DNA sequence: TTTAGAAATTGACCGTGGTCGATTTTACGG
DNA sequence: CCGTAAAATCGACCACGGTCAATTTCTAAA
């Protein structure tokens, strides 16, 4: 364990994050250049990589922060009472993930902790999603949801379908359906034992 | 419509593919460098990009070819008679997708046709997977599989779970379970109406 | 206050993917 | 066989992410 980080380091890191945030606001995540970030933050290029192992990790940091905010918002409300309400509640989170192709790519890459690296905010977000969903689903299993499968597996499945739906969203073979509408049929089929009856 | 490609162009393209194949055999997909490919093929760098829009598309070409071979093999056999057999049959295809992190990344990126670009061999492979699976599942629906959801949606779901399972495979948070074992619980839950009874 | 050493920063440099105007090769009508 | 326009190839060049030895700044013990 090294020493605690100096105040200067904290400030530099924040300046880098702020500069990056500004650039994203102007040019999107895909338009972010490391040279531009360090220029705006007023530091040398090497400093950037003393704070972030690579460019993608900075993006993951920014995206993870947005996802955490959205998830906190979602978790703050009451648990949903059926599958449709559940889909409604998750929509804002998925909107972030699908906001840009570059964002989705980063989310997918870091949704599971990469083997070598420290977990990112995105990884933690997915773990938190898992817990929230598992709780919601376990509660709904007392109210008509399928009970033949553990709540945790169902929760993981929800994430699988969300990824699939967003991936299809970036695909031209399929009509430009809103992702929310695309996720819903999956969730109905996955979470209920008999769609015709629900 | 321009003219048909000249013989020379066909040969050059093949030399590039062969060189790339050799390098992959030696160093894996992650170890492929464009400079190395053109050096072995005996052409200039610009020629490479006259044949492939970018490096990733070459990789997609190589990976797609392997996937097509595996899928043809799978399709050649008789249709499976239950969920377990279905999972068995798909295993070789998933083994390719999970063989390397770099491979999985490419597969995910091109599994749906990217908005701007020509569809790759990988895209076509996923469409073919979809059709094969839809046929298999429709047949199995006459033998006990859930009938409350259209076969095509179930087929898409299988792909969603495969992606999820392979992604988790590259994640250290979870134990190093073989991907096949990871996919199976999903498929049982997704394809049957009541896991406890099956 | 001094000072040793750790922490933080610097910027020249490199590897690699990708571009583009110049050049050579091919196909084909006359 | 020649002339010419399209096709194919070439390679110097650029953009951008990432490295690292050198330098500056900070901290804390003496």
């Amino acid at each position: 364990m090294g020493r605690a980080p100096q105040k200067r380091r904290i400030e530099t890191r924040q300046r880098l994050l702020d500069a990056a945030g500004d650039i994203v606001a102007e040019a999107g995540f895909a338009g972010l250049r490391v040279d531009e970030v360090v220029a705006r933050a007023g530091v040398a290029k090497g400093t950037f990589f003393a704070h972030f192992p690579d460019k993608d990790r900075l993006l993951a940091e920014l995206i993870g922060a947005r996802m955490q905010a959205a998830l906190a918002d979602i978790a703050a409300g009451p648990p949903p009472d059926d599958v449709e309400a559940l889909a409604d509640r998750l929509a804002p989170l998925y909107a972030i993930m699908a906001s840009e192709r570059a964002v989705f790519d980063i989310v997918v890459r870091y949704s599971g902790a990469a083997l070598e690296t420290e977990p990112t905010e995105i990884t933690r977000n997915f773990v938190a999603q898992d817990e929230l969903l598992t709780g919601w689903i376990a509660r709904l299993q007392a109210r008509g949801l399928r009970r033949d499968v553990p709540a945790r597996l169902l929760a993981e499945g929800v994430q699988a379908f969300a990824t699939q739906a967003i991936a299809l969203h970036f695909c031209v073979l399929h009509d430009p359906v809103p992702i929310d509408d695309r996720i819903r049929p999956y969730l109905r089929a996955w979470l209920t034992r008999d769609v015709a009856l629900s």
Side-chain angles (χ1 to χ4, degrees), chain A residues 163-180:
Chain A
T163 304
Q164 173 90 340
I166 297 172
L168 290 179
H169 178 254
F170 288 114
C171 166
V172 85
L173 286 185
H174 306 71
D175 320 79
V177 183
I179 52 162
D180 195 49

Side-chain angles (χ1 to χ4, degrees), chain A residues 8 22 31 38 67 71 80 108 131 139 144 157 160 162 178-179 181:
Chain A
R8 181 174 50 146
D22 291 349
V38 298
M67 290 175 66
L71 188 63
V108 169
E131 266 159 45
R139 179 171 167 277
I179 52 162
D181 294 350

Side-chain angles (χ1 to χ4, degrees), chain A residues 84-193:
Chain A
E84 303 304 323
L86 186 143
D88 289 341
R89 299 288 296 283
L90 291 173
L93 188 59
Y94 297 153
I96 293 173
M97 297 190 212
S99 61
E100 237 185 278
R101 176 73 202 232
V103 170
F104 180 63
D105 287 345
I106 296 284
V107 169
V108 169
R109 159 158 280 125
Y110 291 106
S111 59
L115 199 61
E116 321 83 31
T117 58
E118 283 277 299
T120 65
E121 203 67 18
I122 292 177
T123 310
R124 282 189 284 271
N125 182 274
F126 269 72
V127 172
Q129 274 184 54
D130 225 61
E131 266 159 45
L132 180 66
L133 274 171
T134 302
W136 279 0
I137 289 171
R139 179 171 167 277
L140 287 176
Q141 281 179 320
R143 315 188 175 201
L145 241 57
R146 69 188 299 183
R147 272 185 287 270
D148 60 328
V149 171
R152 183 158 296 277
L153 191 75
L154 290 176
E156 281 180 25
V158 171
Q159 294 185 347
F161 285 124
T163 304
Q164 173 90 340
I166 297 172
L168 290 179
H169 178 254
F170 288 114
C171 166
V172 85
L173 286 185
H174 306 71
D175 320 79
V177 183
I179 52 162
D180 195 49
D181 294 350
R182 215 191 281 283
I183 293 177
R184 234 168 257 271
Y186 286 131
L187 294 193
R188 280 192 278 258
W190 175 237
L191 295 175
T192 64
R193 196 184 293 186

Side-chain angles (χ1 to χ4, degrees), chain A residues 10-24:
Chain A
I10 310 270
E11 291 165 354
T12 301
R13 182 188 162 86
Q14 195 54 51
R15 284 224 307 287
L16 286 167
L17 286 170
D18 290 345
D22 291 349
I23 294 170
V24 167

